[in-house]
Amino acid sequence: MLLSLEIWSDWFDLRYAIAYATPEPEGDLPRPPVLGPCAVSDRAGTDYVNWVTSAPAHGMVRVHQRTFAPAPPPGTEVLELRFGPPATVVPGEAPPLVVSTVLL
């Protein structure tokens, strides 16, 4: 679930949450990731780079934040987010698992 998209002068922050139906059993290892890297595109063909990613490793709702640069160019109306499978190392290496469009 997309929580927020904050656009700054030189970058933007994408925050999303993944909710699990049940808590992790006591003493078990943390759940493996369900989404891999995220690639962002726009109609202008801007080359977005994911500089920073943070994510907690516990709880039923896990909030992730990814910072991309540069900021979308003026006049950008739509961003497309493509999340790869969890085992993917490089965005675009495998077909996207989830594709979402964000209207700005």
Side-chain angles (χ1 to χ4, degrees), residues 65-77:
Q65 176 172 322
R66 295 176 184 262
T67 299
F68 290 88
T76 301
E77 296 178 356

Side-chain angles (χ1 to χ4, degrees), residues 4-49:
S4 68
L5 179 70
E6 295 178 6
I7 299 176
W8 300 90
S9 58
D10 295 325
W11 74 91
F12 64 95
D13 292 325
L14 169 68
R15 286 187 197 87
Y16 60 95
I18 296 173
Y20 293 93
T22 60
E24 291 173 319
E26 231 10 79
D28 278 2
L29 292 174
R31 288 185 167 111
V34 295
L35 292 175
C38 178
V40 177
S41 62
D42 61 28
R43 292 180 182 148
T46 306
D47 184 23
Y48 294 107
V49 178

